[in-house]
Amino acid sequence: NPRSIAVVGATERMQYGGRFLRSVLTAGDQVRVYPVNPRYNELMGLQCYPSVTDLPESPDLVGIIVPYQRVIPVLTESAEKGAGSAIVISAGFAERAEEDRRLLQVGLGEVARETGVRISGPNCLGLANVKSGIWACSSSSTVFEKLNTGNIGLVCQSGASAFGPFLSRAISRGIGYSYIISTGNEADLEASDFARYLLDDDDTKVIAMFVEGFKDARKFLEVCRLAAQKGKPIVLIKIGRSGLGARAAQAHTASLTGEDAAYNAAFKQHGVTRVFDWDQLLEVSQMLADNPAPSEPGIAIISHSGGVCSLTADAFGHEGLDLPDLSREARDTINEILAGFGWAGNPADITGHASRDTVELI
Amino acid sequence: NPRSIAVVGATERMQYGGRFLRSVLTAGDQVRVYPVNPRYNELMGLQCYPSVTDLPESPDLVGIIVPYQRVIPVLTESAEKGAGSAIVISAGFAERAEEDRRLLQVGLGEVARETGVRISGPNCLGLANVKSGIWACSSSSTVFEKLNTGNIGLVCQSGASAFGPFLSRAISRGIGYSYIISTGNEADLEASDFARYLLDDDDTKVIAMFVEGFKDARKFLEVCRLAAQKGKPIVLIKIGRSGLGARAAQAHTASLTGEDAAYNAAFKQHGVTRVFDWDQLLEVSQMLADNPAPSEPGIAIISHSGGVCSLTADAFGHEGLDLPDLSREARDTINEILAGFGWAGNPADITGHASRDTVELI
């Protein structure tokens, strides 16, 4: 919950640096914002500083949007200034698949840990504390204000996914987030670290994750174990079901996806729900966030359409879920209400009753 | 393409009979409409007739929306009047799982075949010749006019699905149909018969089907064989992947879903695409309707997001599809255009180029 944010590499153009500045400005009075760029005296109505060293205070958070060669110098300077943490938007590190860039990323992580200025990124889009209205990101989308505050904490290695489909779909479905966190190449902090943080956040009821690979699988499994203890569900997309996905992930954030079968076994053991697309991640997370765990096993289906009944029943059966028979009493009572239009059962086709008061009774 | 439609059991209330009358009236001048109901002299501004016998001409099509006991007498009377065909909306037949009702349905089918007045239903919602703007159905939806005319012919045993989710989703996605046909219990004409008809319809490029079970599996496989010959794709949802679905289908339209593995083998042999939910049925059908078959195997992915690249690649790999490597020339040329923002490959993460003119070149 930063009170002061420096934006190093802020510009007036609506590219990464300009967007980051625009997004932190939406926080209004609760955050003091310091653009940093020697080429400007003023940006978006704010005084602009030539360097972090020149800032009037130690920033709680530094957004770093400079060419890759300058990231470590800026981070070092920020540490000397007493900065709290940093988000490195800059790309051009391990994802370039060149040895010197990979080493540069290793070095960046070392500087973060040595100085104590822990970083998200590089090659991320930043993060949002949705519940407080603080957006520290370079998202090109400007629809923040339409997003609901909610109980889902999203941790996403892909920034374009976090602030693209996961943002727009949540808005169109009225789904709310507590946090949106993109982690990028994870030179320092990993998806697991953010998930661990969200375990202790009372406003986050479900942790939704989109992960290409874990830098440290053991660390994630420890988070899963804690999540199970706390009864806080983790729902995730994990790339690597297929060789093609694994190859693409490596090209993207230089992640090694690992052995898929081993992940599946571990997820199952810890009650982690693995899903396979954006819609599933959102829908399953919302369902778990909004509904208490059922006290009895078994599901009942009612619908106005026999076709919907059989399609849904077929999908449930395919997933190994059960539709227990209704008790004779339930069946007879419902049939009485239906009065010949539809019939009780599991599933129950209640035809036109679906749009009447009788649906509550049923 | 009926020029005259009788609606037996038409009422002023917006239940099945009233809705059927309302829907046929949307055809305007191209169809002469005859409400039939001894309880009215006039309905929706039209003269109402006490019986089919009293009509001033032989109707091309008769909509039958009367209590189940009266369906066979009305059909017989329609045959005597010289009617062309009939749609039986009335329910209360084999789906009631009572022996006398099952026999009544068998009898209904026999009357249809003996008299030559072939029927859709019973327990269906009717059908729509979308391209001609003739809606002969009891759908409760009144959004017909928003639906596009298109190249997908939909054959759906479940009327509530055909005129519910398949109608509303097509409208919201701008997907167009040539026909929407609900077949219900299929006492006479089956889904296969309608699919066979659509094979010869030049305006239908793809046949989309939602089927619980085939009365005559051989007949459907013959249609599949012909479809493959003609190069007209069939995409279908077939209930019965699981025991629960099979049980629900039997309760709905008294369909026996059959041995699922045998169906899968037959579908594969004939190039039928089996899908598993509404969205897939619509999306796959539209893709096949709008796109020519590729001349070369292999798919390439480009996206503004590395996360989207890896997720899509993972899904493709999981389905057994290949993402061939780019040629060196293609790779180098694309990398030149990208100029360091993103990188060529398959998948290719083209970052901000996705929103620029360069995407066409790539």
Side-chain angles (χ1 to χ4, degrees):
Chain A
N1 221 341
R3 306 306 220 93
S4 57
I5 302 178
V7 183
V8 185
T11 65
E12 57 190 359
R13 281 167 300 139
M14 276 305 127
Q15 292 178 5
Y16 294 94
R19 289 191 219 131
F20 199 100
L21 178 57
R22 177 182 61 187
S23 87
V24 294
L25 285 173
T26 61
D29 288 344
Q30 64 182 320
V31 175
R32 295 179 295 282
V33 177
Y34 303 111
V36 176
N37 190 331
R39 289 187 289 138
Y40 300 96
N41 291 317
E42 195 185 292
L43 268 176
M44 300 191 197
L46 296 172
Q47 184 183 345
C48 189
Y49 297 84
S51 76
V52 172
T53 309
D54 301 312
L55 296 181
E57 66 170 310
S58 302
D60 290 338
L61 175 67
V62 182
I64 302 180
I65 313 103
V66 297
Y68 69 91
Q69 312 91 328
R70 294 202 43 240
V71 170
I72 289 180
V74 169
L75 183 64
T76 308
E77 195 184 346
S78 300
E80 283 162 4
K81 185 69 184 182
S85 61
I87 294 170
V88 182
I89 303 292
S90 314
F93 291 83
E95 84 279 4
R96 293 303 299 263
E98 293 161 19
E99 184 59 10
D100 58 335
R101 301 295 184 92
R102 196 186 66 74
L103 289 174
L104 192 69
Q105 180 169 313
V106 171
L108 177 61
E110 279 167 6
V111 173
R113 285 182 291 273
E114 277 164 20
T115 60
V117 183
R118 308 299 299 265
I119 63 170
S120 314
N123 190 24
C124 74
L125 273 186
L127 48 83
N129 179 337
V130 181
K131 56 185 187 169
S132 302
I134 299 177
W135 292 73
C137 64
S138 288
S139 166
S140 61
S141 174
T142 55
V143 291
F144 310 154
E145 68 277 5
K146 293 186 191 157
L147 183 73
N148 291 336
T149 296
N151 297 323
I152 300 170
L154 176 66
V155 181
C156 192
Q157 286 176 340
S158 164
S161 298
F163 294 99
F166 285 122
L167 181 58
S168 59
R169 278 163 195 242
I171 290 171
S172 68
R173 291 160 185 232
I175 291 175
Y177 293 116
S178 52
Y179 287 89
I180 300 175
I181 296 159
S182 76
T183 64
N185 288 11
E186 304 183 348
D188 177 29
L189 295 172
E190 306 168 28
S192 304
D193 296 312
F194 290 102
R196 179 67 192 82
Y197 172 81
L198 294 174
L199 278 184
D200 292 332
D201 175 52
D202 289 338
D203 295 316
T204 300
K205 296 224 182 315
V206 173
I207 300 172
M209 303 180 76
F210 178 2
V211 174
E212 300 193 330
F214 295 104
K215 301 278 163 185
D216 180 346
R218 270 172 219 275
K219 191 197 268 189
F220 180 65
L221 294 179
E222 174 62 16
V223 172
C224 295
R225 200 183 58 74
L226 284 171
Q229 266 180 17
K230 284 180 176 263
K232 193 172 279 198
I234 294 177
V235 184
L236 94 170
I237 295 172
K238 165 74 179 67
I239 303 294
R241 279 196 293 171
S242 72
L244 291 180
R247 199 181 74 189
Q250 195 168 5
H252 178 213
T253 50
S255 294
L256 292 171
T257 53
E259 191 54 62
D260 206 55
Y263 276 117
N264 275 340
F267 294 157
K268 192 164 184 185
Q269 187 188 338
H270 293 293
V272 171
T273 306
R274 187 177 188 179
V275 295
F276 301 102
D277 66 34
W278 301 328
D279 294 317
Q280 287 176 356
L281 188 64
L282 280 177
E283 287 165 8
V284 172
S285 296
Q286 190 184 30
M287 195 187 69
L288 291 171
D290 287 352
N291 295 288
S295 57
E296 301 274 344
I299 298 168
I301 299 172
I302 66 170
S303 168
H304 72 297
S305 154
V308 172
C309 282
S310 57
L311 184 64
T312 310
D314 210 20
F316 281 19
H318 188 71
E319 299 292 340
L321 299 171
D322 193 23
L323 299 174
D325 287 333
L326 298 184
S327 68
R328 175 174 295 214
E329 193 193 339
R331 194 194 60 199
D332 292 349
T333 308
I334 295 174
N335 272 332
E336 206 167 300
I337 298 169
L338 291 174
F341 295 97
W343 49 91
N346 191 9
D349 178 359
I350 63 169
T351 67
H353 289 274
S355 54
R356 294 191 222 153
D357 296 343
T358 42
V359 74
E360 285 293 331
L361 292 168
I362 295 164
Chain B
N1 220 340
R3 306 305 219 94
S4 57
I5 302 178
V7 184
V8 185
T11 64
E12 58 190 0
R13 281 166 300 140
M14 276 304 128
Q15 293 179 3
Y16 293 94
R19 289 191 219 132
F20 199 101
L21 178 57
R22 176 182 63 189
S23 87
V24 294
L25 285 174
T26 60
D29 288 344
Q30 64 183 320
V31 175
R32 295 179 295 282
V33 177
Y34 303 111
V36 175
N37 190 330
R39 289 187 289 138
Y40 300 96
N41 291 317
E42 196 186 294
L43 267 177
M44 300 189 197
L46 296 172
Q47 186 184 342
C48 189
Y49 297 83
S51 76
V52 172
T53 308
D54 299 313
L55 295 181
E57 66 170 310
S58 301
D60 290 340
L61 174 67
V62 181
I64 302 180
I65 314 102
V66 297
Y68 68 91
Q69 311 92 327
R70 294 202 44 239
V71 170
I72 289 181
V74 168
L75 184 64
T76 308
E77 195 186 344
S78 300
E80 284 162 4
K81 185 70 184 181
S85 62
I87 294 170
V88 182
I89 303 293
S90 314
F93 291 82
E95 85 278 5
R96 294 302 299 263
E98 292 160 21
E99 184 59 9
D100 59 334
R101 301 295 184 93
R102 196 186 65 73
L103 290 173
L104 191 68
Q105 180 170 315
V106 171
L108 177 62
E110 280 167 6
V111 172
R113 285 183 291 274
E114 277 164 20
T115 60
V117 183
R118 309 299 300 266
I119 64 170
S120 314
N123 190 24
C124 75
L125 274 186
L127 47 83
N129 179 336
V130 181
K131 56 184 188 169
S132 302
I134 298 176
W135 291 74
C137 64
S138 288
S139 166
S140 60
S141 173
T142 55
V143 292
F144 310 153
E145 68 276 4
K146 294 186 190 155
L147 183 72
N148 291 336
T149 295
N151 297 323
I152 300 170
L154 176 66
V155 180
C156 191
Q157 286 176 339
S158 164
S161 298
F163 294 99
F166 285 123
L167 180 59
S168 59
R169 278 164 196 241
I171 290 171
S172 69
R173 290 160 185 232
I175 291 174
Y177 292 118
S178 53
Y179 288 89
I180 300 175
I181 295 159
S182 76
T183 64
N185 287 12
E186 304 183 347
D188 177 30
L189 295 172
E190 306 169 27
S192 304
D193 296 312
F194 290 102
R196 179 68 192 80
Y197 172 82
L198 293 174
L199 278 184
D200 293 332
D201 176 53
D202 289 338
D203 295 316
T204 300
K205 296 223 183 316
V206 173
I207 300 172
M209 304 180 75
F210 178 1
V211 174
E212 301 194 329
F214 294 104
K215 301 278 163 184
D216 181 346
R218 269 171 220 275
K219 191 196 268 188
F220 180 65
L221 294 178
E222 175 61 16
V223 172
C224 294
R225 201 183 57 74
L226 285 171
Q229 266 179 17
K230 284 181 176 264
K232 193 172 279 197
I234 294 177
V235 184
L236 95 171
I237 295 173
K238 166 72 179 68
I239 303 294
R241 278 196 294 171
S242 73
L244 290 179
R247 198 181 73 190
Q250 196 168 4
H252 177 215
T253 50
S255 294
L256 292 171
T257 52
E259 190 54 62
D260 206 55
Y263 276 116
N264 276 339
F267 294 157
K268 192 164 185 185
Q269 187 187 338
H270 294 292
V272 171
T273 306
R274 187 178 188 179
V275 295
F276 301 102
D277 66 34
W278 301 328
D279 295 317
Q280 287 176 356
L281 188 64
L282 281 177
E283 288 165 7
V284 172
S285 296
Q286 190 185 29
M287 195 187 69
L288 291 171
D290 287 352
N291 295 289
S295 56
E296 302 272 344
I299 298 168
I301 299 172
I302 65 170
S303 168
H304 72 296
S305 155
V308 172
C309 282
S310 58
L311 183 64
T312 310
D314 210 20
F316 281 17
H318 187 71
E319 299 292 339
L321 299 170
D322 193 24
L323 299 174
D325 287 333
L326 298 184
S327 68
R328 176 175 295 214
E329 192 193 340
R331 194 195 60 199
D332 292 349
T333 308
I334 295 174
N335 271 333
E336 206 166 299
I337 298 169
L338 291 174
F341 295 97
W343 49 91
N346 191 8
D349 178 0
I350 63 169
T351 65
H353 289 275
S355 54
R356 292 190 223 154
D357 296 343
T358 42
V359 75
E360 285 293 329
L361 292 169
I362 294 164

